[in-house]
Structure formats: structure tokens, C-alpha cells
Amino acid sequence: MVSGRIVRNKRHYSLFGKLCRSCFRINQIKPLFLVLLVIFFLSVYLSDLPLRKEPRKIFSMLNRSALLASNYSTRLKIAEHFLFPWQIKNENKISLEEYNDTDYFSSPTPVPLMVTTPLGNGTVQPYELPQSLLESHKLLYNYSQPSHNVKSKQPCPLVPHRLVGKVPVVKEYYPIDQLNSLDFRVKAGGTYTPPNCEPLQKIAIVIPFRQREMHLSILLLNLHPYLQRQESSYTIFVVNQIQGSKFNRAMLMNIGFMEAMKRDRYTCVIFHDVDLIPFNDKSLYRCPKYSTRHLSVYIDKFDYRLPYKEILGGVVAISSHLFIKANGYSNQFFGWGGEDDDFQRRCESKGVNIVRYPKHVGQYMMIKHGGDSGNEANPQRFDLLKRFAERQGVDGLNSLTNAYTLKSLLTLPLYTRINVLLDQTVVMIAEPKPLPPYLRPPK
């Protein structure tokens, strides 16, 4: 008989089994310690905290506890530190009915509980906004209170003072017409400027889009308070491709950049997929001066892991002069796949490095969706990638002029919508031309 040996079987590969084996091997196990260990793991397994299977639910509980904290300092502490529910003091837990929302709006304008919708006969019909939407909007903006309302000539700090780390994400869908009735503190077209300081960068958020109204509504509801908490000066541009050809995400981002630069000299552009929601406000939406920042590094769909080292998709921040230097994205990727890898090679060829935030900061939630009609995998993507070097100088921003038709540009309450029509035949034979004056660097 061999003493002190543990028979290895499947049940010992659990977390509890590994700890017990370690204790027996070092021959330091105590009966009281074993009893306490059993009680601890039983409480975890039987509670609503599934530690083994879904760690993301821990963060969901953490967010709820932070939202229900009665003061800002408590919310900050809870959001900054990873605490289990039994580590949060009972006096910090209050119900929604007891939540103090007196500092919700900096504007004296109350939230309209009743709004109107136009009917076909020229009349309007009043309806009530969902209470869940009002509560979600209120909770998001409790994190985004400006410190004061006096405009200062001092530049905004490099790291805003009101960052809290992990913040709640509202996943419920509400029609954009309902969102338009709420106060998001933005000007028409989705433009915002910090009221307290001079912004360091002027940012254009470019969202390539087609038939994703639900995703767009969820993104706008979460993104506006997120960016305002970071004291960003920004405008949101949604570039909508009208039906007629396969979806060309890369070309839509080029168009969004060009149309934005026609209206203002943005120093930073952030290309943002419509189905990605950030939930850590320390992931600053800023553009490095000499690098490209890959923001959506760790996504829940990929178990918060980087799929491969060279990936440069999802949410990307790049200074305008570097984007022009790389000649933008390729316009020839119709259908799914290849355009992000092509852009990564373009940046690399121009000596533009890729930088990323740490794993605990650059985390995103992806809204679940099925396949899109008209966005099937591009069978030519591998051949295009092989020839990226010979195409880079003739395919991109300099071949965009006259390659698309601008149908309309709408200045809506929460964003600027750019409706364009693409013709694949015209795009594939477009020839390079000199860049327009608004894309040339100042002398």
C-alpha cells in the first residue's frame, strides 16, 4: 500500500480536487481547514456567482452594485477594484427607488415623459417613453457629470479625472426616435465639445453601416456618455451603403473620412464597427501621433483573447495625417474579409506601428447577430492581399474621387448620416488622382 497517494481520475481535475491534492501532498491538512474549504466552494457553486463557467457574470454583478451605490466615491471604489459581492458593505446597497438622482442632469431641462410620433394623415400621436429607457439613460449619465459648467482656456487633461474603469452596458434595443427625445448633450449631427476645457484632439467617429438599425441604436445609447466622460470633442458619422452591390466596409470608411474632412479639419479619426460596445472608459478614444491604436483588442466573442497578432479591425484610432500617408483603406474589398489585414500591411509599410491597451482595459462586448445578406466572404481577398504593395499607391483615398455617388447627407439629432451608392464595376477601374485640398497637409 502506498500512503499519501491520490488516485488520479476525472473528478480530481476540478478546482476543488486540485486544491485537495495539493494539501494532501504537503501533509499539512487540518480538519477545520477542510471543513471551511468545503463550505466556501459549496457557497460559490450554489449561489448565483458561477465562478467556474462564466466569469463575465461577475463583472455584470459588479456593474449593478456600482450603479446602486449611493455616492460617487463609492461607485468609483467599486468600479476601480474587483470585489466579490460579500466584500461590498451592506450600507452601499440601495434599491432603485432610493437612488438619489438629483445631480442627474446639468441642464435644467427635464426628460420628456411624453413624445409625439407623426402619423400618415399629418397628425401626431403622443406616446410614453419606456421607463426602462429613462432609467438606462439616467444610470449611464450619472457617470458623466461635468465638474463645472464654466468654460476654461486650460487644455483638457491627458487622463480625464472622472474615469471609473468598467461601466455598465445597456444591451436593450430602443428605436432611435425614442433616443432622440432624450438629452444626450450633443449638437445636431452628433457633435460634442467639452464644456470645461479645450479639447486636445478633434475626433471623427466613422461607422460603416448597412441594415443594422438595432445595433446602431444600442451603440449610440452607450457611446455618447462614454465619450463625454472622456472629455472628447467628437462628431459621429454613420456611412450608410444603399443596396445595389456587395457591402464594402473599407470604402465606406474612406468615404466617411473624406466627407468628414470636407466639413472640418479633424486631427483624429476612429473607425468603429457598429456591433462593438466598449465598457472600460480607461480605453481612451485618442489617436497617437506616430502610431495606429487598435482599440477593440479583447472581445467577449473571442473569450477576451487576441485572435492573431497582426489583427487591426473592429475599432481603430489613427491620426489623420497617418491615414493620408497610408492612402487609407483599399476600395477593392467587396464582401467580407481581408480589408483589415490589408490596412495593417499599409501601415507597416509606412513605418506606422500598432499599439494596444492592456487586456484589462481594451475590452469590448459584441452584439450578437447572424450573417448579412450582401456581405458574403470575398473569394478574391487572398489574391488582393498578395498584391497590396503594388496597389497601395493607386488604390485608396486617391482613387476615391468620382468612385461613389453621394445620395444625401442628413444632420440628425444624434449623428450625421451619409447615404452613398457604390458601383463595383466603377470602383475596380477607378484611377488615382491628386488628393483634394482639404486632405493635403498645411504648408
Side-chain angles (χ1 to χ4, degrees):
M1 183 179 69
V2 179
S3 61
R5 183 175 179 180
I6 301 295
V7 179
R8 298 196 175 190
N9 53 36
K10 292 183 179 179
R11 65 182 178 181
H12 289 136
Y13 284 94
S14 65
L15 181 60
F16 179 76
K18 289 180 180 179
L19 288 174
C20 287
R21 281 205 312 278
S22 300
C23 293
F24 278 115
R25 283 173 180 171
I26 62 177
N27 198 23
Q28 291 182 353
I29 188 69
K30 300 292 183 182
L32 180 60
F33 173 76
L34 180 59
V35 171
L36 293 176
L37 195 63
V38 171
I39 294 175
F40 170 78
F41 278 100
L42 283 177
S43 66
V44 171
Y45 284 126
L46 297 179
S47 68
D48 60 347
L49 184 64
L51 182 61
R52 297 178 305 156
K53 296 182 180 180
E54 292 190 59
R56 288 193 296 273
K57 288 189 177 181
I58 297 176
F59 295 103
S60 177
M61 297 181 66
L62 178 66
N63 286 336
R64 290 198 299 270
S65 300
L67 286 174
L68 298 179
S70 58
N71 57 71
Y72 178 80
S73 60
T74 305
R75 292 201 303 267
L76 181 61
K77 291 178 182 178
I78 296 175
E80 284 284 0
H81 302 287
F82 186 80
L83 299 180
F84 290 103
W86 54 79
Q87 292 177 287
I88 302 174
K89 296 181 180 180
N90 291 330
E91 56 266 27
N92 292 333
K93 296 181 180 179
I94 60 175
S95 64
L96 279 174
E97 290 76 13
E98 298 170 337
Y99 189 80
N100 180 15
D101 58 353
T102 55
D103 60 345
Y104 171 34
F105 282 107
S106 61
S107 169
T109 306
V111 180
L113 297 180
M114 299 292 292
V115 295
T116 58
T117 180
L119 300 178
N121 56 6
T123 61
V124 295
Q125 177 182 4
Y127 68 93
E128 186 174 357
L129 288 176
Q131 187 64 28
S132 57
L133 172 59
L134 297 175
E135 290 181 357
S136 299
H137 182 255
K138 175 171 62 177
L139 293 177
L140 288 175
Y141 266 99
N142 263 295
Y143 284 87
S144 304
Q145 287 297 321
S147 55
H148 53 82
N149 293 323
V150 180
K151 185 69 175 180
S152 171
K153 294 184 179 180
Q154 296 294 326
C156 296
L158 292 175
V159 180
H161 303 302
R162 295 179 288 112
L163 302 182
V164 296
K166 286 184 172 60
V167 294
V169 173
V170 178
K171 304 176 184 179
E172 291 75 20
Y173 163 68
Y174 303 97
I176 292 184
D177 289 343
Q178 295 182 2
L179 300 188
N180 292 339
S181 303
L182 299 175
D183 180 14
F184 282 90
R185 305 173 185 164
V186 296
K187 298 179 182 178
T191 299
Y192 176 83
T193 302
N196 311 324
C197 54
E198 293 293 336
L200 301 175
Q201 295 179 341
K202 184 169 287 188
I203 305 170
I205 310 290
V206 177
I207 303 173
F209 178 82
R210 184 163 76 174
Q211 295 181 326
R212 293 281 191 89
E213 297 293 343
M214 182 183 73
H215 295 172
L216 180 61
S217 175
I218 297 174
L219 176 62
L220 292 174
L221 178 60
N222 289 277
L223 191 59
H224 275 300
Y226 180 92
L227 294 174
Q228 292 169 21
R229 188 165 50 255
Q230 295 183 353
E231 297 181 341
S232 303
S233 174
Y234 66 90
T235 301
I236 295 181
F237 296 90
V238 177
V239 190
N240 175 46
Q241 180 179 342
I242 301 173
Q243 294 286 358
S245 62
K246 284 188 176 181
F247 188 65
N248 191 329
R249 173 175 168 271
M251 187 172 179
L252 293 181
M253 291 189 284
N254 282 344
I255 294 172
F257 176 75
M258 184 166 290
E259 294 296 331
M261 296 296 286
K262 285 181 182 178
R263 285 148 185 82
D264 207 340
R265 188 168 285 275
Y266 292 95
T267 58
C268 170
V269 58
I270 296 178
F271 301 104
H272 206 300
D273 281 359
V274 73
D275 57 357
L276 290 176
I277 312 295
F279 58 85
N280 191 320
D281 62 6
K282 293 184 179 179
S283 177
L284 294 177
Y285 275 42
R286 302 286 191 271
C287 291
K289 191 172 183 180
Y290 301 110
S291 304
T292 300
R293 187 177 296 282
H294 184 208
L295 290 167
S296 57
V297 187
Y298 305 101
I299 304 174
D300 58 352
K301 179 181 178 180
F302 305 118
D303 200 20
Y304 300 103
R305 297 178 181 177
L306 199 64
Y308 54 95
K309 183 179 178 181
E310 295 80 12
I311 189 172
L312 190 61
V315 184
V316 177
I318 183 171
S319 296
S320 298
H321 72 280
L322 294 181
F323 190 68
I324 296 171
K325 180 180 179 180
N327 200 20
Y329 286 86
S330 168
N331 296 322
Q332 299 187 5
F333 285 86
F334 282 86
W336 180 88
E339 70 276 3
D340 293 327
D341 293 333
D342 183 272
F343 183 63
Q344 182 271 333
R345 298 181 184 185
R346 289 177 176 231
C347 292
E348 188 179 58
S349 68
K350 297 297 182 180
V352 180
N353 298 325
I354 299 174
V355 294
R356 296 183 173 100
Y357 287 123
K359 183 176 182 178
H360 69 281
V361 174
Q363 295 183 345
Y364 280 72
M365 183 202 77
M366 178 177 285
I367 306 173
K368 295 181 180 180
H369 60 86
D372 297 325
S373 175
N375 193 29
E376 295 80 10
N378 181 5
Q380 306 297 326
R381 63 187 185 276
F382 299 110
D383 181 61
L384 290 171
L385 284 173
K386 291 179 182 178
R387 299 185 293 106
F388 94 93
E390 62 186 69
R391 292 184 297 101
Q392 181 170 4
V394 297
D395 170 28
L397 292 176
N398 60 359
S399 63
L400 197 61
T401 306
N402 300 327
Y404 68 95
T405 303
L406 179 62
K407 287 295 186 179
S408 61
L409 192 146
L410 306 176
T411 303
L412 302 178
L414 298 181
Y415 66 97
T416 299
R417 188 182 184 101
I418 305 171
N419 296 315
V420 297
L421 181 64
L422 307 183
D423 187 333
Q424 185 171 351
T425 304
V426 174
V427 172
M428 298 303 287
I429 62 174
E431 296 182 356
K433 297 181 180 180
L435 292 176
Y438 51 85
L439 291 185
R440 298 172 191 167
K443 296 181 179 180

